[in-house]
């Protein structure tokens, strides 16, 4: 193992009784987490031949760290992201605290049971942050800490809610994920506090043992970001051995031992250690004395006494880390510690077989039938352990989720009228109007953007509501009388969080803001903006945010070919399909500003509804002539449902043009020209393909879209058009069994102006008319006696 700094903590007295109880509970957590996985794989039986899985080695690696955390260190206000593969450890701990049922443990990884990876929305035992996609949970704690600062500095937090620590229990290979460093840098910019990252430094990932020199990189990376770094390398027993004569040589030997050899010897056990130490240090008399004074089992126990498995060392380190400085604990551990495959490089998905489990069970002194017993086989009496558990500070409050009162939303949002506007401009104006007032809604909106604040039209909002910063900073350009349309005063009162260009960070911060109600007792209404194509840059984090059931409004603009001169790389194509495909998300693509105002108003309510979801608004910079109209209640309801007739069809009409978003003028013009040949043709505006789709799946014949399309002739035709993938609307043909000619974009874009590009990609009026003509010809061919 590489050289490291010494244990950087101040020793503090911890009552011996406490350590004994914690060690007993630690032993029980190791047993329960291993048994839970064994039960799922070997006893429950597989009905489909699939291995159920679960990670005994990853779990064993963090048993001491997590037992110390939950049974000693944490307070109810602390929030934790547990590395995904330690889910069994988390659930075992909650079980011991009385917050998880035996049935759920027995059903680990089965439907309705404890989840394979801790899940805020699917588990019942108070998971703070879901994890699963490695790296994201780690970053989540950093952004949650920023959100906590936001609500506390504004004094929004209810009553006497104290700020807590945001804690990540991190697998060391998670630090390979780039998103961790994006978050680290962003966290540094925002001077985040109250953050602990506890790295389970077992030097193993899924495939292999990691490189020896990585430790020094982690150490200096965190130092560079002004973190306190606490290294927990050697446990008490090894430290005592180092203090003996000859101990220095032993220490040097372990320090210099390559990770792979150390891991291999952990697996081989006492005899292996002895052989190596004898051949390399055997001539040293003092080392000889150490070797002679330990039998193989004792030698193995000594050589594997890393601080991450040494309860006293862990407790000391956690207790000593007072203050709100962001702190990284690098805790040396052994993957699979205490299990037969400890240290083996292939142990990630390894499971104890029945025989190994039998031996492990007798070593744990678990009688048959007592496998789920909370205290069987422990040295400390059950009533004493129960008394200890009853005093655990973390469990003083349960559940720890807060209820946050809803924020009132007015019956309509002012959208200043303009004869011509784009939806993006409209978005800026609507927010600006909200920002002018002093409503509760205005106070609870928080905007954020990865360096595209101005270019997504958040500028007016930010001018009025300011940028959030822990410390007040004047706008230097303003102070120096340099004329600028942007006034960016930074202060704790600010309501915009400016992020660097890292879309992953945008989504993870949206995730943290979107659960600020349950986390911190303060409901916020987050609005994040970015360019539509870059949704894909943050897609996994977007998915992650939705999986947590975080509630937010994503405003993606510009989008599609309407970004014409910017070329193919910036023109989004597949994003509407993402809007359709992601769960917990409603996707809207309005064409006009009055639609947008109603969608936003409704959206602020829907984001807060118990059965609500997040919103994705795909907007455009294309300026469109705005309709002269006032939206009545019916029209409002219809556009929220996802579609309305811009021009209703005559009863039994033969054809309808269906459009979504910025292609509205082409669709309207094609419709106007078509009326000469197909009188009574309809023009359908789709504002939300995703809401139509969800509703259609749920209600079929009575769904909103079915009822709208029922106004056409049963053998009527559809031409659909959208500045995005044609599949966004092509499914509409199945709703009323109407043949459909879908237009959209299926190839990468290129630079041009809208007219040329719409022509090249077949979205213009001519293309729509051609599609309609083709549809009519095809239909005549289908009719009895008709010819194509
Ligand atoms: C984004 C992502 N990629 C891949 C995986 C599959 N995976 C699960 S755990 C793991 C390795 C984890 O190693 P480490 O973080 O060191 O945890 P350990 O098991 O050693 O405790 C990988 C690659 C994943 N869960 N998420
Ligand atoms: Mg690891």
């Amino acid at each position: 193992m590489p050289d490291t700094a010494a244990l950087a903590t101040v020793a503090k007295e911890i009552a011996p009784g406490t350590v004994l109880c914690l060690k007993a509970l630690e032993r029980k957590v190791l047993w329960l987490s291993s048994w839970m996985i064994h039960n799922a794989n070997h006893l429950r039986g597989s009905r489909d031949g699939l291995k159920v899985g679960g990670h005994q080695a990853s779990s064993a690696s963090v048993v001491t760290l997590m037992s110390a955390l939950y049974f000693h260190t944490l307070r109810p206000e602390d929030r934790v992201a547990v590395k995904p593969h330690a889910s069994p450890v988390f659930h075992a701990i909650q079980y011991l605290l009385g917050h998880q049922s035996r049935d759920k443990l027995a059903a680990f990884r089965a439907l309705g049971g404890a989840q394979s990876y801790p899940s805020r929305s699917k588990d019942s035992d108070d998971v703070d942050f879901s994890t699963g996609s490695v790296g994201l949970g780690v970053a989540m704690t950093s952004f949650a800490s920023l959100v906590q600062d936001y609500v506390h500095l504004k004094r929004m937090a209810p009553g006497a809610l104290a700020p807590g620590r945001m804690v990540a229990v991190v697998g060391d290979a998670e630090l390979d994920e780039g998103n961790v460093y994006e978050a680290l840098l962003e966290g540094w910019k925002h001077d985040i506090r109250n953050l602990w990252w506890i790295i389970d430094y077992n030097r193993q990932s899924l495939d292999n043992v990691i490189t020896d020199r990585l430790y020094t990189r982690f150490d200096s990376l965190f130092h560079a970001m002004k973190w306190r770094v606490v290294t927990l390398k050697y446990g008490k027993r090894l430290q005592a051995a180092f203090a003996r004569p000859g101990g220095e040589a032993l220490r040097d030997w372990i320090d210099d031992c390559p990770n792979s050899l150390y891991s291999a010897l952990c697996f081989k056990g006492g005899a292996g250690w002895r052989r190596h130490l004898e051949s390399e240090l055997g001539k040293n008399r003092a080392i000889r004395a150490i070797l002679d004074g330990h039998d193989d089992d004792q030698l193995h126990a000594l050589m594997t006494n890393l601080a991450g498995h040494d309860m006293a060392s862990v407790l000391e380190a956690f207790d000593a880390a007072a203050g709100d400085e962001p702190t990284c604990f690098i805790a040396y551990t052994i993957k699979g510690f205490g299990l037969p495959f400890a240290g083996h490089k292939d142990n990630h998905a390894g499971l104890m077989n029945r025989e190994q489990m039998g031996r492990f069970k007798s070593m744990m002194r678990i009688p048959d039938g007592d496998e789920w017993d909370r205290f069987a086989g422990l040295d400390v009496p059950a009533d004493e352990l129960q008394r200890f558990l009853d005093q655990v500070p973390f469990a003083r409050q349960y559940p720890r989720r807060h209820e946050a009162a809803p924020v009132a939303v007015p019956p309509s949002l002012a959208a200043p009228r303009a004869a011509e506007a784009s939806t993006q401009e409209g978005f800026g104006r609507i927010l600006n109007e909200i920002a002018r007032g002093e409503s509760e809604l205005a106070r609870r909106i928080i905007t954020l953007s990865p360096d595209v604040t101005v270019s997504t039209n958040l500028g007016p909002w930010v001018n009025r509501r300011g940028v959030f910063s822990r410390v007040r900073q004047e706008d230097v350009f303003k102070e120096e009388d340099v004329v600028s349309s942007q006034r960016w005063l930074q202060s704790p009162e600010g309501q915009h969080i400016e992020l660097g260009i890292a879309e992953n960070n945008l989504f993870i911060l949206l995730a943290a803001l979107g659960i600020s109600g349950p986390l911190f007792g303060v409901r916020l209404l987050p609005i994040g903006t970015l360019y539509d194509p870059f949704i894909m840059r943050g897609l996994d984090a977007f998915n992650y945010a939705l999986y947590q059931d975080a509630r937010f409004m994503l405003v993606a603009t510009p989008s599609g070919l309407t970004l014409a001169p910017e070329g193919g790389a910036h023109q989004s194509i597949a994003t509407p399909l993402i809007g359709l495909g992601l769960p917990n998300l409603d996707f809207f693509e309005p064409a006009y500003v009055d639609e947008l105002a109603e969608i936003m108003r409704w959206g602020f309510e829907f984001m807060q509804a118990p059965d609500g979801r997040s919103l994705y608004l795909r907007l455009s910079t294309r300026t469109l002539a705005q309709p002269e109209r006032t939206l009545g209640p019916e029209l409002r309801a219809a556009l929220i449902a996802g579609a309305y007739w811009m021009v209703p069809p005559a009863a039994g009409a033969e054809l309808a043009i269906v459009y979504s978003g910025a292609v509205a003028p082409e669709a309207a013009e094609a419709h106007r020209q078509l009326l000469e040949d197909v009188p009574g043709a309809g023009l359908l505006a789709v504002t939300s393909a995703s809401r139509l789709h969800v509703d259609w799946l749920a209600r079929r014949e009575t769904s909103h879209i079915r009822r709208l399309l029922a106004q056409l002739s049963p053998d009527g035709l559809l031409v659909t058009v959208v500045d995005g993938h044609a599949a966004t609307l092509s499914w509409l043909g199945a709703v009323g069994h109407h043949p459909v000619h879908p237009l959209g974009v299926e190839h990468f874009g290129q630079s041009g102006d809208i007219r040329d590009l719409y022509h090249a990609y077949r979205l213009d009026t001519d293309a729509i008319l051609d599609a309609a003509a083709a549809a009519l010809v095809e239909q005549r061919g289908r009719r009895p006696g008709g010819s194509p």
Side-chain angles (χ1 to χ4, degrees), residues 90-171:
F90 172 80
H91 293 301
I93 289 173
Q94 302 307 316
Y95 175 63
L96 291 173
L97 290 171
H99 300 153
Q100 176 62 291
S101 72
R102 177 184 156 160
D103 287 351
K104 296 245 181 203
L105 297 193
F108 174 61
R109 291 192 165 217
L111 187 65
Q115 297 294 295
S116 34
Y117 307 129
S119 169
R120 269 186 70 74
S121 49
K122 304 277 183 251
D123 275 316
S124 55
D125 49 353
D126 211 14
V127 172
D128 292 320
F129 304 115
S130 304
T131 52
S133 178
V134 301
L136 298 184
V138 186
M140 183 73 169
T141 55
S142 179
F143 288 108
S145 140
L146 178 59
V147 176
Q148 178 172 253
D149 280 350
Y150 185 89
V151 299
H152 277 271
L153 287 168
K154 288 191 167 56
R155 301 190 195 293
M156 287 171 149
L161 266 191
R165 282 164 295 196
M166 304 297 116
V167 181
V169 177
V170 185

Side-chain angles (χ1 to χ4, degrees), residues 55 58 61 83-85 117 132-134 170-174 177 200 202 204-206 335 348 540:
H55 301 81
S58 303
S61 191
K83 70 166 191 175
H85 301 81
Y117 307 129
S133 178
V134 301
V170 185
D172 48 357
E174 293 197 74
E177 284 287 1
D200 171 14
N202 59 25
Q204 279 187 250
S205 56
L206 192 159
K335 190 157 171 171
H348 183 78
D540 191 29

Side-chain angles (χ1 to χ4, degrees), residues 210-229:
I210 63 176
T211 172
D212 292 312
R213 294 171 305 129
L214 215 48
Y215 161 77
T216 52
R217 297 298 93 199
F218 292 154
D219 188 78
S220 43
L221 267 163
F222 283 98
H223 273 125
M225 292 295 152
K226 302 283 181 236
W227 283 50
R228 164 171 54 186
V229 179

Side-chain angles (χ1 to χ4, degrees), residues 298-310:
Q298 290 166 335
L299 187 62
H300 181 61
L302 175 70
M303 294 302 285
T304 55
N305 178 233
L306 299 185
H309 300 303
D310 189 68

